[in-house]
Amino acid sequence: MNVKIEGRRKIKAKVNIPPDKSISHRSIMIGALAKGITEVENFLFADDCISTIECFKKLGVEIEIKSGRVIIIGKNYNLSAPDKRLYCGNSGTTARLLLGILSTQQFEAVLDGDSSLRKRPMKRVTEPLTTMGSSFEFLENDGFLPVRVKGKSPLTPIYYTLPVSSAQVKSALIFAALKAENKSVIKESPMSRNHTELMLKSAGANIKTSFENEVYKVEVFPGNLESLKIRVPSDISSAAFFIVLALICEDSEVIVENCILNPTRTGIIDILKQMGADITIEDVQIQNGEPVGRIIAKSSNLTGVSVDKKDIPRIIDEIPILAVAAAFADGKTIIDNASELRVKESDRIKTTIEMLKSFGVECYELENGLLIVGSKNKLKPGIVNSYSDHRIAMAGAVMACATEGESTILNAECASISFPGFYETLIGHSKKV
Ligand code: S3P
């Protein structure tokens, strides 16, 4: 599906942002591994999280949808051998966290994914898990899906420092460490999103988190999990598209309610504020151990920024839309030390640069990042190849809204990976100026 967008537009709206993807995945996983019945309100019914539900159903977990809530009958870490491949679709979180979870099970299972997921590196998870005693066989290409996994019980504890910060790797190791013989210690710097640690603590897991000379340390003691009642807040990674839209369009304002404001996720707000963005946070409350609140963003004059290395994990999913904000700023923006972008749903250094160039933005590919020169007076309508990457399609659509003329997003349907109804929300809430 191709989507045509007529710019320039403006927006003044309270926007309903979908539930958080990271928390939705984890709610199913922790619910499946706990004892008892977990109830999830406001679950994200988007392609990636549906992949997680389908995989756990194949592992013998009863999961029902009742009046919009997801009910999971926990198996206390006793999953059943699947009779088919576990298909993770486009979802790196499903595949990598499952590799950790399946390492605790004594049966064999095969994990597979779509053509994008089959290109994403898996050794970052399988290598440390192998030292814990589980085994992996890559069935087609070394280090990539499809992979056969066979776990062990109990696993050998692990003492491991992640070479690159990653919530997916960290979470896979924590899920495995809960079924190790003894305490494990996992370290990373800078700290990546910590939803797994927070949710596991609420489920009664014996996990201690601390900092040692700016290195984040997770100590995991083996044990069981109790069921949870979870309400999923709105996803700041999805809200970011509408926040930037309000900032770069004239006479615009966007309000997002009940949005996740965990500091490991709010890098986008901090960096946009460094660029001069008019963003206000209100009514912050703690919900399931996570800060949530209201975000108000208004049209702003932005200035380019040099993003600090330590902020990269806090904005890793927002870089395509941050690059759009940079295209509308005065001066240069440098986003470096972000080699992880090369192994996301697409090579997001290349695909973001190509998206921006299609609108006439002056920008340069760096070895590990992007350099963007503010170009708001030179823009033309673009034809965006999304490369079937949801965040490139949505960033391109926001760019199109703020650019005079008709732009096209190719293979635009991939937005449903994380944001079902994205284009309806975007066009429905904005109007042509
Ligand atoms: C995620 C972690 C991040 C992020 C992904 C979701 C998660 O990946 O890019 O979209 O839910 O754990 P890495 O931790 O591998 O960077």
Side-chain angles (χ1 to χ4, degrees):
M1 169 183 97
N2 298 338
V3 167
K4 290 194 186 300
I5 295 174
E6 186 67 37
R8 292 188 327 219
R9 311 179 74 81
K10 67 175 189 178
I11 180 164
K12 273 213 168 137
K14 189 178 263 197
V15 182
N16 247 338
I17 296 295
D20 191 79
K21 184 155 83 71
S22 292
I23 295 180
S24 293
H25 281 301
R26 287 160 173 78
S27 69
I28 301 297
M29 296 178 179
I30 294 174
L33 299 175
K35 290 190 273 186
I37 301 176
T38 286
E39 262 189 57
V40 189
E41 214 185 309
N42 201 36
F43 180 81
L44 174 64
F45 290 103
D47 300 352
D48 266 13
C49 300
I50 293 170
S51 295
T52 293
I53 291 191
E54 291 308 318
C55 286
F56 277 88
K57 282 186 175 169
K58 285 191 190 138
L59 290 163
V61 182
E62 264 180 68
I63 302 174
E64 264 182 66
I65 321 289
K66 264 195 199 152
S67 349
R69 288 173 190 229
V70 185
I71 315 287
I72 308 140
I73 318 288
K75 301 275 283 185
N76 192 19
Y77 262 94
N78 291 309
L79 303 172
S80 313
D83 52 15
K84 290 198 185 86
R85 280 188 178 196
L86 299 169
Y87 183 68
C88 305
N90 192 247
S91 175
T93 306
T94 309
R96 296 204 178 109
L97 273 58
L98 257 177
L99 288 171
I101 291 168
L102 292 173
S103 291
T104 67
Q105 306 293 305
Q106 305 230 37
F107 53 76
E108 282 189 1
V110 175
L111 259 68
D112 205 350
D114 70 6
S115 57
S116 152
L117 190 55
R118 276 177 166 222
K119 290 192 202 110
R120 298 181 65 188
M122 292 296 148
K123 281 201 177 164
R124 51 180 60 200
V125 211
T126 59
E127 279 176 351
L129 288 170
T130 304
T131 70
M132 297 180 81
S134 56
S135 33
F136 301 90
E137 183 192 349
F138 292 106
L139 300 178
E140 289 184 22
N141 293 311
D142 189 35
F144 299 91
L145 297 184
V147 63
R148 177 176 288 120
V149 47
K150 184 165 188 324
K152 196 188 115 186
S153 175
L155 288 162
T156 309
I158 188 166
Y159 281 71
Y160 189 67
T161 301
L162 271 63
V164 178
S165 298
S166 162
Q168 294 180 351
V169 177
K170 175 179 61 174
S171 302
L173 299 181
I174 296 175
F175 278 124
L178 282 170
K179 292 293 153 189
E181 266 168 325
N182 222 316
K183 176 181 132 175
S184 294
V185 181
I186 299 145
K187 294 182 183 175
E188 67 173 350
S189 180
M191 177 189 187
S192 63
R193 67 191 67 189
N194 63 342
H195 306 302
T196 303
E197 296 90 299
L198 292 175
M199 272 171 108
L200 285 173
K201 281 184 189 175
S202 340
N206 191 355
I207 291 184
K208 283 194 193 129
T209 49
S210 56
F211 283 93
E212 246 171 32
N213 304 323
E214 297 199 10
V215 175
Y216 174 63
K217 175 168 148 189
V218 187
E219 293 168 87
V220 186
F221 299 84
N224 294 326
L225 303 176
E226 303 299 333
S227 58
L228 289 172
K229 276 207 167 31
I230 303 162
R231 187 180 155 74
V232 183
S234 294
D235 195 329
I236 193 163
S237 302
S238 296
F241 297 103
F242 283 88
I243 293 169
V244 170
L245 181 68
L247 300 179
I248 63 176
C249 294
E250 272 168 35
D251 188 26
S252 292
E253 177 174 327
V254 160
I255 303 176
V256 178
E257 297 285 359
N258 207 49
C259 193
I260 182 90
L261 293 172
N262 178 318
T264 62
R265 299 287 300 282
T266 48
I268 184 68
I269 304 285
D270 297 341
I271 289 161
L272 288 170
K273 280 189 168 178
Q274 284 169 28
M275 296 172 80
D278 181 351
I279 301 178
T280 319
I281 307 286
E282 290 179 352
D283 197 19
V284 181
Q285 298 178 13
I286 301 294
Q287 194 179 291
N288 294 116
E290 298 269 12
V292 300
R294 179 183 306 125
I295 304 175
I296 306 170
K298 297 181 186 171
S299 314
S300 304
N301 290 322
L302 301 175
T303 312
V305 74
S306 184
V307 175
D308 196 316
K309 186 178 176 178
K310 72 173 185 345
D311 283 329
I312 294 296
R314 301 175 66 225
I315 53 159
I316 195 69
D317 290 342
E318 290 74 63
I319 290 174
I321 191 62
L322 178 63
V324 170
F328 284 84
D330 293 326
K332 271 190 236 164
T333 292
I334 300 173
I335 305 165
D336 206 352
N337 303 293
S339 55
E340 275 299 288
L341 290 179
R342 298 231 182 253
V343 289
K344 292 295 177 189
E345 287 83 329
S346 66
D347 174 343
R348 284 190 181 153
I349 296 181
K350 276 202 176 349
T351 52
T352 302
I353 291 280
E354 191 180 316
M355 180 268 289
L356 293 177
K357 282 198 168 153
S358 84
F359 289 94
V361 178
E362 183 185 345
C363 55
Y364 303 91
E365 179 175 340
L366 310 177
E367 192 185 342
N368 296 317
L370 310 91
L371 189 161
I372 300 142
V373 182
S375 309
K376 67 180 167 208
N377 299 324
K378 310 191 245 179
L379 299 177
K380 59 177 177 66
I383 299 178
V384 176
N385 188 340
S386 69
Y387 291 94
S388 295
D389 180 334
H390 54 139
R391 301 203 198 275
I392 299 296
M394 293 189 279
V398 169
M399 187 83 202
C401 286
T403 305
E404 189 69 48
E406 188 188 79
S407 297
T408 307
I409 317 296
L410 307 175
N411 296 322
E413 66 281 357
C414 55
S416 66
I417 291 290
S418 58
F419 200 141
F422 173 75
Y423 303 100
E424 293 81 350
T425 310
L426 185 70
I427 301 305
H429 279 307
S430 61
K431 62 175 187 228
K432 174 97 178 71
V433 287

